[in-house]
């Protein structure tokens, strides 16, 4: 199966304090670059990166091995990003897309490979029973899924209604996304000496 990886990175990141497409790991690696690398290492033939808020700055962080997909209506929510990505994927010869959000920089290659090997056209990773990413969507479902998307709602309801195969990946990583900026531990800050 020819799979196109998709990184959803168009949001403004209001709780995060700015577009997550501009975020980096402590070592300076952009989250968006890490996501592209993970999808390619998992076996995706191509990778699309959906960008909206901060697009001009974020595009410079996208590796040359991936293609930027502009999302002009990004402020309308997650649905706009998924629709734009599916439309772009339809221009390729991919049989399916493997969707991941940019705010899962710890996503493991092993989780992606496990979902890809599920032998289904609709599958999603779960972590100790909680739905997560990546999500695999076969081409035959793209049009139907796009018609159900609205606002900040992604593919979750559609996947549930269509009986997507559930792939437990809790043994591979924690499965959590990052919604708020990481604050350095208190111990790492300079101590105060008020009596000096």
């Amino acid at each position: 199966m020819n799979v196109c990886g998709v990184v959803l990175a168009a949001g403004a990141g209001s709780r995060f304090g700015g577009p997550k497409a501009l975020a980096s790991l402590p070592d300076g690696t952009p989250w968006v670059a890490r996501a592209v690398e993970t999808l390619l290492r998992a076996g995706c033939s191509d990778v699309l990166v959906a960008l909206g808020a901060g697009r001009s700055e974020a595009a410079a962080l996208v590796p040359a091995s991936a293609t930027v997909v502009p999302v002009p209506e990004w402020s309308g929510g997650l649905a706009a990003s998924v629709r734009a990505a599916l439309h772009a994927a339809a221009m390729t010869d991919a049989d399916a897309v493997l969707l991941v959000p940019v705010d899962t920089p710890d996503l493991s290659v092993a989780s992606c490979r496990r979902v890809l090997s599920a032998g289904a056209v609709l599958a999603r990773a779960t972590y100790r029973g909680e739905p997560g990413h990546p999500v695999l969507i076969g081409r035959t479902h793209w049009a139907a899924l796009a018609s159900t998307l609205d606002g900040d709602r992604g593919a979750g309801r559609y996947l549930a209604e269509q009986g997507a195969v559930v792939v437990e990946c809790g043994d591979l990583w924690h499965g959590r996304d990052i919604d708020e900026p990481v604050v350095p531990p208190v111990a790492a800050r300079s101590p105060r000496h008020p009596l000096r």
Side-chain angles (χ1 to χ4, degrees):
M1 181 166 58
N2 184 6
V3 179
C4 177
V6 171
V7 182
L8 300 173
S14 54
R15 283 185 292 170
F16 188 72
K20 295 178 183 179
L22 302 177
S24 297
L25 294 166
D27 67 1
T29 303
W31 284 5
V32 68
R34 170 61 63 85
V36 169
E37 177 191 13
T38 298
L39 289 170
L40 289 174
R41 288 177 58 204
C44 293
S45 56
D46 300 292
V47 177
L48 306 175
V49 180
L51 296 179
R55 185 175 75 201
S56 57
E57 298 91 344
L61 305 176
V62 176
S65 54
T67 301
V68 170
V69 176
V71 185
E73 300 175 353
W74 62 266
S75 61
L78 179 60
S81 297
V82 177
R83 274 197 302 268
L86 291 176
H87 178 75
M91 302 298 110
T92 73
D93 60 357
D95 302 308
V97 292
L98 189 67
L99 297 173
V100 300
V102 73
D103 62 0
T104 55
D106 296 330
L107 172 68
S108 70
V109 171
S111 293
C112 295
R113 288 177 176 165
R114 185 176 289 179
V115 171
L116 287 172
S117 66
V121 293
L122 277 181
R124 87 170 307 158
T126 59
Y127 298 88
R128 293 158 300 281
E130 292 296 317
H133 292 88
V135 170
L136 180 70
I137 303 169
R139 180 181 279 269
T140 56
H141 287 274
W142 295 353
L145 169 60
S147 70
T148 69
L149 297 171
D150 181 53
D152 210 30
R153 189 176 71 196
R157 180 180 296 179
Y158 182 85
L159 293 169
E161 291 174 350
Q162 297 296 318
V165 171
V166 173
V167 184
E168 178 57 46
C169 296
D171 58 316
L172 300 175
W173 74 295
H174 54 73
R176 295 185 297 275
D177 57 5
I178 300 174
D179 284 331
E180 297 180 358
V182 178
V183 178
V186 174
R189 301 175 189 160
S190 300
R192 296 181 182 177
H193 301 282
L195 300 181
R196 277 198 210 173

